[in-house]
Structure formats: structure tokens, C-alpha cells
Amino acid sequence: FKDLFLCASCGASIIGEDKYRKRKVQDPVYHIYYHCTRSKDISCKEPYLTEEKLIKSLNQYVHFLFMIQPQKIRYTERLKMSIEKYKEVRGTILLTQNINPDEKPIDFRDYAKHIFKNGTADEKREIVKAVSGSEMLFIHNENITSRIN
């Protein structure tokens, strides 16, 4: 999610860091943490955010935007093609379970959840760009917002 978010507290960039948490018995656990670069305010108090929490917040933001202002979601050709491919695969799976795919329609929120859970980094970035439009998104207290509070 590089270069997609700004810190709502100071306006600096948000970066991700790979970390391995050591454990006594098992192999280390891999995590990605996002945080303010503190390039504009060295004493910025914005907390670190795990990728899991960031994705949860992104799903909430996508849901909110889809419900309140769906016209703000920018569907690029690449995104439209990816959604169609997802619909085809999903339809095939539902048909093998004797479920009519037309009875269970999907929308952008379903697709976004799927991509945030199983998609590539490029697909995830495409979703964030679609919901952010021409504006930057901000992170404030582990939540995504479209404007500084």
C-alpha cells in the first residue's frame, strides 16, 4: 500500500515495514506494520497499524463509500475486467454447488473483500485507487478517512 495513504495527524507519508516476531518454540511470525514516516513531525503520535487492521479498516471504508456515495468509485478498465473474471469464477463455483449465481448477486464490496484477502499487491492497490479517486486517503487512529479531522 506504498504511497496510497497519508498520516491524518501530520500529513506525512505512511510506510509499511516487514517484521518477524520471534517465538520460543515455533518459527518466527511474519507481520507487516504501517506507520507514519514522521518526516513532517518527529513527535507524531499516530500509532502503528498491522496490515490486518488496515485491511479491516479498508473494508469498512469501501462499505461506507459504496452505501453513501457509490458514484465516487472509479472503475478502471483493468478493474472492470478483474471483476468480470471474479464473477465468472464465482459463478462456476456456485453452479457446481447447484446454486444459481443470479440468485446471489455480488457487488463491489464482495469483490473488494475477496481481493483484500486473496489478491495480489497490484489488485489491492487498484481497489484503493478506485475508492480514493483523485484524493489521498488518510490514516487516523487505525482508521481510514478521506479527510483530515
Side-chain angles (χ1 to χ4, degrees), residues 20-48:
Y20 288 92
R21 183 179 57 141
K22 294 180 183 177
R23 301 190 306 181
K24 288 182 180 181
V25 179
Q26 298 173 333
D27 292 334
V29 178
Y30 174 72
H31 294 280
I32 299 176
Y33 290 95
Y34 292 88
H35 63 90
C36 175
T37 59
R38 293 172 174 67
S39 62
K40 294 189 177 184
D41 179 5
I42 195 75
S43 61
C44 181
K45 301 291 186 205
E46 200 62 46
Y48 279 55

Side-chain angles (χ1 to χ4, degrees), residues 58-113:
L58 275 169
N59 278 322
Q60 290 171 341
Y61 184 79
V62 167
H63 180 76
F64 169 79
L65 190 64
F66 186 84
M67 295 300 292
I68 303 301
Q69 295 178 316
Q71 72 279 6
K72 284 198 169 186
I73 300 172
R74 293 186 354 200
Y75 294 92
T76 62
E77 285 303 314
R78 183 176 174 194
L79 187 57
K80 288 177 187 175
M81 288 174 36
S82 185
I83 290 171
E84 284 304 314
K85 183 178 175 185
Y86 171 70
K87 282 182 181 178
E88 288 176 19
V89 170
R90 181 182 172 273
T92 302
I93 292 169
L94 290 176
L95 287 173
T96 62
Q97 298 172 351
N98 293 324
I99 300 170
N100 183 355
D102 297 332
E103 292 176 7
K104 292 187 172 259
I106 66 162
D107 58 39
F108 185 74
R109 296 170 293 181
D110 296 327
Y111 172 74
K113 282 181 188 176

Side-chain angles (χ1 to χ4, degrees), residues 132-143:
S132 66
S134 59
E135 304 172 355
M136 287 295 290
L137 293 178
F138 297 90
I139 295 180
H140 182 65
N141 290 330
E142 300 182 346
N143 291 307

